[in-house]
Amino acid sequence: MASFNFSLSDPSAFILIGIPDLQDVHMWISIPFSTFYIIGLLGNFMILFVVGKEQILHKPTYLLLCMLALTDIVISTSVTPKDLCIFWFNLKDITVGGCLIQMFFLHAVSVMQSAVLVAMVFDCYVAICNPLRYFTILTNARIANIGLVGLIRAVLFFLPLSLLLSRQPFCANRIIPHTYCEHIAVTKMSCGDITVNKIHGLVMAFVIIGLDLMLVALSYGLIIRAVLRISSKNAHPKSLNTCTAHICVMLTSCILFLFSTLTHRFGQGITPHLHIILVDLFFLIPPMLNPIIYGVKSKKLCEKLGKCICKR
């Protein structure tokens, strides 16, 4: 596909240059990016379709899985289509409003996803530590409320960040060395005082991620303690198997997130294009792997998926 050289239509817009120093190979980079994106969309939409269609799957675990699928779809779609427009058509400009909207959705839905992952580990905890009261503690209505609280938390934390940036004056040099409107990169475009923005972004990131990781660690600590108290050693692997899918999802998400965050803030020696590729993969690989992980580990979901495919 040819690369078209479109001129900047709005002089007040930002320019996303894509991956620095690798503009010549943007077309090749787009191949794995688009492949990961399509696989992720198909997998997550398939989960939503199967769980929505099969009444037997209308249970807390699968409702949480649907929430995870929705956040995966929104996160990858917030970034990848614009990436591909840059790679394929050289459409690098994005309006200030569009940039702030992309940034808000990306960060807010990421926070929402973090809340869903915490709820999923709590689901594992109840299933192992209090199985007899599982459906009493985790009703479908309670799961819906958890999702609503997670959404409200995400909006309340990151809407002020976007509003603060929208009131900032931006400099004439509006070139962002990135594939999407990353918060720190957009903040650096401002000619005004960005101290409040930096502090707010840093505090919110550490408060939200720190709190969620503490809750996850606490839940897993209680799960391990409960499993070790089981007298039958043969039951240990069976009990822990309940959490293996969630552990795999947490590892893929957290490792990529922590690596990209640490390299952005402290990895001055790392080349910019390597950091940007890693960040983009963080928005593509977990959404692609999550449906595969849960599809393999959940027998009921796998069976229903197989039936739906066979009927087609």
Side-chain angles (χ1 to χ4, degrees), residues 22-42:
L22 295 179
Q23 284 90 343
D24 293 339
V25 293
H26 272 177
M27 192 63 63
W28 294 106
I29 296 172
S30 71
I31 296 173
F33 275 39
S34 57
T35 303
F36 295 160
Y37 178 59
I38 291 169
I39 293 173
L41 284 183
L42 289 175

Side-chain angles (χ1 to χ4, degrees), residues 20 23 25 256 275 279:
Q23 284 90 343
V25 293
L256 282 169
H275 167 70
V279 173

Side-chain angles (χ1 to χ4, degrees), residues 46 50 299-312:
M46 187 64 74
V50 172
K299 290 183 179 179
K300 285 185 180 179
L301 183 61
C302 198
E303 289 173 2
K304 297 299 180 184
L305 180 59
K307 287 181 181 178
C308 287
I309 293 173
C310 290
K311 285 180 181 179
R312 298 286 173 181

Side-chain angles (χ1 to χ4, degrees), residues 154-307:
V155 172
L156 288 179
F157 276 130
F158 278 97
L159 185 59
L161 200 63
S162 299
L163 293 176
L164 283 171
L165 267 179
S166 68
R167 298 173 66 86
Q168 288 286 344
F170 291 103
C171 304
N173 181 18
R174 300 189 174 205
I175 299 174
I176 301 176
H178 220 301
T179 55
Y180 70 97
C181 293
E182 199 272 334
H183 172 247
I184 298 298
V186 175
T187 302
K188 289 178 180 178
M189 296 294 104
S190 173
C191 296
D193 185 7
I194 58 174
T195 305
V196 176
N197 298 74
K198 285 185 174 181
I199 294 174
H200 183 278
L202 197 60
V203 170
M204 289 304 100
F206 275 103
V207 166
I208 292 170
I209 302 301
L211 176 61
D212 288 354
L213 287 177
M214 283 176 58
L215 291 172
V216 168
L218 176 63
S219 297
Y220 274 121
L222 294 173
I223 288 170
I224 292 170
R225 187 181 70 172
V227 170
L228 293 176
R229 286 182 175 180
I230 299 174
S231 57
S232 174
K233 291 186 178 181
N234 294 329
H236 291 178
K238 186 178 179 181
S239 298
L240 289 175
N241 189 53
T242 306
C243 299
T244 51
H246 185 267
I247 292 171
C248 293
V249 168
M250 286 294 297
L251 285 175
T252 55
S253 299
C254 289
I255 289 174
L256 282 169
F257 173 77
L258 290 173
F259 193 75
S260 63
T261 301
L262 291 175
T263 54
H264 182 75
R265 294 191 179 275
F266 307 109
Q268 286 79 10
I270 297 177
T271 55
H273 61 262
L274 178 59
H275 167 70
I276 292 171
I277 289 173
L278 287 172
V279 173
D280 283 331
L281 289 177
F282 167 70
F283 297 126
L284 285 169
I285 291 181
M288 178 186 68
L289 292 181
N290 291 348
I292 298 172
I293 292 169
Y294 276 99
V296 170
K297 297 303 296 182
S298 174
K299 290 183 179 179
K300 285 185 180 179
L301 183 61
C302 198
E303 289 173 2
K304 297 299 180 184
L305 180 59
K307 287 181 181 178

